[in-house]
Amino acid sequence: MSAMMQPQIILLKEGTDTSQGRAQVVSNINACTAVADTVRTTLGPRGMDKLIHDDKGGVTISNDGATIMRLLDIVHPAAKILVDIAKSQDSEVGDGTTTVVLLAAEFLKEAKPYVEDGVHPHSLIRSYRTAGSMAIQRVKELAVSIEGKSLEEKKSLLAKCAATTLSSKLIGGEKEFFASMVVDAVLAIGNDDRLNLIGIKKVPGGTMRDSFLVNGVAFKKTFSYAGFEQQPKKFLNPKILLLNIELELKSEKENAEIRLSDPLQYQSIVDAEWNIIYDKLDKCVKSGAKIVLSRLAIGDLATQYFADRDIFCAGRVTEEDLQRVAAATGGTVQTSVNNVIDEVLGSCEVFEEKQVGNERFNIFSGCPSGQTATIVLRGGADQFIEEAERSLHDAIMIVRRAVKNSTVVPGGGAIDMEISKYLRQHARTIAGKSQFFVNSFAKALEVIPRQLCDNAGFDATDVLNKLRQKHASGEGANYGVDINTGGIADSFANFVWEPAVVKINAINAATEASCLILSVDETVKNPKSESAQGEAAAGAMAGRGGGAMRGRGGRGMRRR
């Protein structure tokens, strides 16, 4: 009786939605599986593309896992973890974004029946972590180093890695053409790790084959003033002056007040302004520079002044392009024209202004530092060029990683099948429940070759059986799905390669994400407080807006 009389304990706000226990874990797994089903069909050379239409009317066509995940605007809290791992895979290695989402979802899918049967999630997590670290160790053992090869050999090996990445993209038909371009661009920037040193400029029109690589910097002709067309458009071995100042006649910015006792003094003030700008221009000319670039405006007076002295100038050059010109030509950006010495001027072998499609481009080539490259992309529709840029970004990231880590593994699902076989064998040596869990982890890895077959329209069961048999024989470690024939083939011999770091990162991130989702057994959502905040904010805005409108209306009314 006394127990019934005790007051009720209220812990959370009224209206709080809590869901917990086994059902919550299963619900989270289902949400993640639904997300993976969205990107599942984009995997591999025969993957399909997704057209995503946002609320602003923008249309994106892509089969890049990270791009799709970002644009889907997922709201489910557990499924958001998959978006995060796709993003981290994209920023860390650049490729394998669809792979990492599929693996994580498959690990969870394999864990689902055990959770439903009452297995404690931490038993699963422990086994998954062990299996994940063993899988990564096995990838490292199977990886083949491309270190110590000659430059030509290294180039062709890197081109094969880039071609494997591009084969699943929209520009897969021209993968050899773009792969060699990407390798040249990455090798051009040397050991510098900054991705922004490789510029990608998009010019609609023409065909993909019209795309070209500039071993230097190319940027679109900036806004120009009168006198621009009189300037020379080509120089050999010019000196380049980079500025971050305005070369314009400026009226006073502040409300300056000057009191004159004599009207004749007014002319001296006007002359002073002209003298300042002419002094700046004279110093630019005396520096010996033939090309003057500035991040800020170069006005019509300066443009004409430079044109009369056979000097090329461009104002309002973007920060990124100016930094790349500085890196390539060996120049330094100046914030003053005083004391411009030879050391701060850049140089290049050839500067010219070229017509590319409907645009005119300023191209600096044969740069001494050679620390930058620019890819000029051509193509039909804007969406197509956008997707081509995303594809090239992936390929550039892959080649950079391969240059740094210089170990590759066979693609086409070969490495996944080999790790799966290795873990199955290991599972037989374990006593207890974890034998099942490691086996499930091994089975989940087969999702990659299975999906490659499904996307290409092959019989996945038939191909996987052949692969299992080949890998079990001990001789077929490099055998993966052959997309062209629908059978199996030696991926290594067919040059379907990917950097080992892609696989290691994917397995690591997918294992971590699946363990994280399995460890969540309660979700607490407080919609009441959220809506209250929303209403308060809306009320505040209305109050502020209303007051402002009223005030303005009152002031602006005519008196009768």
Side-chain angles (χ1 to χ4, degrees):
M1 189 69 190
S2 60
M4 289 174 69
M5 295 297 289
Q6 281 180 357
Q8 190 184 350
I9 296 169
I10 298 170
L11 194 63
L12 300 169
K13 260 188 192 173
E14 192 186 346
T16 302
D17 174 24
T18 62
S19 33
Q20 62 191 131
R22 197 181 307 163
Q24 181 58 42
V25 180
V26 173
S27 156
N28 287 345
I29 292 174
N30 290 340
C32 294
T33 312
V35 171
D37 287 342
T38 315
V39 294
R40 196 177 285 279
T41 54
T42 66
L43 186 76
R46 299 281 186 270
M48 308 296 277
D49 297 335
K50 305 286 178 197
L51 188 149
I52 299 161
H53 188 268
D54 62 23
D55 53 355
K56 295 187 183 73
V59 172
T60 308
I61 297 174
S62 180
N63 74 354
D64 176 40
T67 306
I68 296 166
M69 297 293 276
R70 196 174 60 245
L71 293 173
L72 280 178
D73 210 11
I74 291 164
V75 293
H76 192 284
K80 270 186 178 168
I81 294 167
L82 294 193
V83 181
D84 292 340
I85 59 168
K87 279 184 189 166
S88 79
Q89 178 81 1
D90 193 37
S91 61
E92 187 61 31
V93 283
D95 196 26
T97 48
T98 310
T99 305
V100 76
V101 173
L102 281 186
L103 281 176
E106 201 66 19
F107 291 153
L108 291 168
K109 202 173 175 182
E110 288 295 327
K112 186 178 165 186
Y114 297 120
V115 174
E116 288 172 338
D117 289 346
V119 172
H120 195 281
H122 269 287
S123 305
L124 279 161
I125 290 169
R126 201 176 310 117
S127 300
Y128 270 18
R129 288 222 164 105
T130 310
S133 58
M134 286 184 68
I136 289 165
Q137 196 53 45
R138 186 68 179 147
V139 174
K140 288 177 179 168
E141 287 168 20
L142 293 166
V144 177
S145 176
I146 57 171
E147 204 58 75
K149 305 267 198 262
S150 71
L151 184 63
E152 280 310 308
E153 271 186 296
K154 211 167 188 184
K155 266 189 171 181
S156 86
L157 298 176
L158 292 170
K160 276 152 193 157
C161 284
T164 304
T165 302
L166 291 171
S167 64
S168 64
K169 307 289 184 194
L170 210 57
I171 54 176
E174 301 284 357
K175 62 182 179 187
E176 279 82 15
F177 174 71
F178 283 111
S180 62
M181 194 185 281
V182 164
V183 172
D184 289 342
V186 172
L187 293 178
I189 65 169
N191 295 327
D192 202 322
D193 212 22
R194 286 176 296 167
L195 196 60
N196 58 4
L197 290 178
I198 299 177
I200 298 181
K201 302 292 177 188
K202 300 171 290 224
V203 185
T207 64
M208 282 187 329
R209 282 263 170 191
D210 293 337
S211 305
F212 59 92
L213 174 75
V214 176
N215 243 332
V217 186
F219 57 82
K220 212 180 285 183
K221 171 179 168 289
T222 57
F223 179 82
S224 53
Y225 289 90
F228 182 80
E229 293 306 334
Q230 296 162 25
Q231 294 179 350
K233 296 292 183 274
K234 185 169 181 177
F235 290 103
L236 296 175
N237 298 315
K239 293 272 184 219
I240 302 161
L241 175 61
L242 307 170
L243 299 171
N244 190 11
I245 53 172
E246 279 181 321
L247 294 176
E248 259 189 318
L249 262 173
K250 299 295 289 176
S251 56
E252 281 299 334
K253 279 184 187 170
E254 310 302 327
N255 295 332
E257 183 179 307
I258 301 171
R259 298 187 178 223
L260 304 174
S261 54
D262 182 357
L264 297 174
Q265 290 174 339
Y266 180 69
Q267 188 59 42
S268 65
I269 291 165
V270 174
D271 289 345
E273 282 185 339
W274 284 83
N275 289 340
I276 290 167
I277 181 97
Y278 275 127
D279 181 47
K280 283 181 183 174
L281 297 176
D282 273 342
K283 283 176 178 163
C284 292
V285 174
K286 279 178 188 158
S287 70
K290 282 290 174 191
I291 297 170
V292 179
L293 303 179
S294 178
R295 200 174 74 79
L296 302 171
I298 293 181
D300 38 13
L301 170 75
T303 307
Q304 189 65 58
Y305 187 91
F306 287 137
D308 294 343
R309 287 156 183 75
D310 284 342
I311 292 174
F312 175 90
C313 70
R316 296 202 180 100
V317 178
T318 61
E319 175 78 35
E320 183 195 346
D321 286 331
L322 202 67
Q323 292 303 337
R324 284 179 44 239
V325 172
T329 60
T332 312
V333 179
Q334 299 297 298
T335 51
S336 160
V337 289
N338 297 323
N339 195 24
V340 175
I341 52 174
D342 270 356
E343 280 73 38
V344 300
L345 297 178
S347 66
C348 67
E349 282 174 23
V350 183
F351 165 80
E352 60 181 327
E353 191 171 285
K354 255 170 81 173
Q355 190 79 17
V356 181
N358 293 333
E359 307 284 356
R360 274 158 72 180
F361 268 75
N362 299 329
I363 297 173
F364 301 80
S365 48
C367 302
S369 302
Q371 289 269 296
T372 182
T374 310
I375 296 171
V376 179
L377 274 181
R378 306 295 312 279
D382 281 346
Q383 284 96 340
F384 183 83
I385 300 180
E386 295 283 343
E387 175 60 5
E389 183 191 15
R390 282 191 289 272
S391 308
L392 286 183
H393 170 265
D394 283 8
I396 287 166
M397 291 288 283
I398 283 300
V399 174
R400 280 172 70 226
R401 288 289 172 239
V403 166
K404 270 200 146 182
N405 300 340
S406 66
T407 52
V408 294
V409 291
I415 189 79
D416 307 272
M417 289 303 290
E418 186 59 24
I419 301 167
S420 179
K421 179 204 86 170
Y422 171 69
L423 287 175
R424 279 177 203 272
Q425 285 176 347
H426 171 73
R428 292 194 195 117
T429 64
I430 306 169
K433 289 182 201 165
S434 57
Q435 185 184 95
F436 293 116
F437 310 150
V438 173
N439 222 15
S440 296
F441 189 96
K443 188 184 171 194
L445 288 166
E446 290 182 357
V447 69
I448 304 299
R450 189 186 313 124
Q451 200 58 51
L452 288 172
C453 294
D454 286 345
N455 290 352
F458 303 141
D459 181 354
T461 311
D462 187 35
V463 175
L464 277 175
N465 284 340
K466 284 181 187 168
L467 276 175
R468 281 195 202 105
Q469 184 255 329
K470 193 75 181 172
H471 281 262
S473 68
E475 298 163 13
N478 292 338
Y479 272 74
V481 180
D482 187 347
I483 289 296
N484 300 320
T485 62
I488 63 173
D490 188 332
S491 296
F492 219 83
N494 288 351
F495 306 119
V496 180
W497 298 352
E498 50 187 343
V501 67
V502 175
K503 227 38 190 180
I504 290 169
N505 214 67
I507 293 170
N508 207 355
T511 309
E512 283 299 318
S514 53
C515 290
L516 182 62
I517 290 162
L518 284 172
S519 68
V520 172
D521 76 332
E522 181 168 6
T523 306
V524 181
K525 194 161 58 176
N526 194 345
K528 266 260 165 96
S529 63
E530 284 171 25
S531 62
Q533 280 172 0
E535 281 164 23
M541 286 300 288
R544 211 177 305 149
M549 289 304 288
R550 277 198 302 278
R552 210 173 295 158
R555 220 176 297 144
M557 282 174 66
R558 239 182 332 160
R559 291 186 182 172
R560 293 187 176 173

